[in-house]
Amino acid sequence: MHSSAYPSKYASPKGIFTVGKTRFKWYDLAADPADISQQDLQNARIGIENADEKFQDTEDLGFVIMHRCGQHYLLLVCTWRSENELWESVYYDGTGKFEVWDRNKIHLPTYCVWEMGIVYHESQAWKRYLGTDRNEAGRQHYLNDFFEGEV
């Protein structure tokens, strides 16, 4: 048995981020969420607003994970497409701006151990939503159901 524990990070909910017709729940994820700067958040939001996926044109719900990894970020943009599958685009700040992480491979990474805490919560919240009549009140209930804590 290992005596050293794997380090934890903290998931911090930051409210709703709306891009046209799509509403995202926003999470900051870092060893210390205070390390995520306002400028980096602004760059991430601009990246999502200008994404080739055109989130603004699709009525959708989902969540964003702004994951601080050392000095860089992975930006996970996830939508449900009104069904039971989670769709994901991954961006990274390789040039200071957020760009698509080209993962054109057959077997590719999905969620790390820290991100999975948020993804698990979101999958349970979405499953509850799918069991409703899926009206605006149900959508709002989903959007208000955030995870916060150590992962």
Side-chain angles (χ1 to χ4, degrees), residues 8-72:
S8 292
K9 292 191 179 185
Y10 194 83
S12 180
K14 295 296 178 183
I16 306 302
F17 175 56
T18 301
V19 180
K21 297 178 180 177
T22 296
R23 290 179 286 175
F24 295 103
K25 296 155 74 168
W26 191 284
Y27 290 96
D28 287 352
L29 177 63
D32 179 358
D35 290 340
I36 298 177
S37 75
Q38 288 305 308
Q39 184 60 59
D40 293 331
L41 287 167
Q42 184 64 19
N43 290 347
R45 291 184 188 113
I46 290 168
I48 296 169
E49 288 167 347
N50 295 321
D52 289 342
E53 288 84 355
K54 307 230 179 299
F55 297 110
Q56 64 270 24
D57 296 339
T58 307
E59 191 166 325
D60 210 344
L61 298 173
F63 58 95
V64 171
I65 301 174
M66 176 82 166
H67 186 179
R68 176 113 183 175
C69 310
Q71 296 305 306
H72 293 279

Side-chain angles (χ1 to χ4, degrees), residues 2 20 46 49 55 74 77 84 90 105 107 118 137 143 146:
H2 292 281
I46 290 168
E49 288 167 347
F55 297 110
L74 285 177
V77 181
N84 62 356
V90 180
K105 300 176 176 82
H107 199 62
I118 297 169
L143 288 168
F146 279 95

Side-chain angles (χ1 to χ4, degrees), residues 86-138:
L86 186 59
W87 294 63
E88 179 194 43
S89 296
V90 180
Y91 305 88
Y92 70 104
D93 62 329
T95 61
K97 294 183 178 156
F98 285 86
E99 54 203 64
V100 173
W101 180 24
D102 184 4
R103 304 182 298 161
N104 189 15
K105 300 176 176 82
I106 292 171
H107 199 62
L108 50 90
T110 57
Y111 302 104
C112 74
V113 292
W114 300 296
E115 295 158 356
M116 287 178 97
I118 297 169
V119 173
Y120 178 75
H121 171 87
E122 288 299 317
S123 71
Q124 296 302 297
W126 187 252
K127 186 178 174 199
R128 285 189 292 276
Y129 168 75
L130 290 176
T132 70
D133 61 10
R134 304 182 194 185
N135 60 15
E136 183 55 30

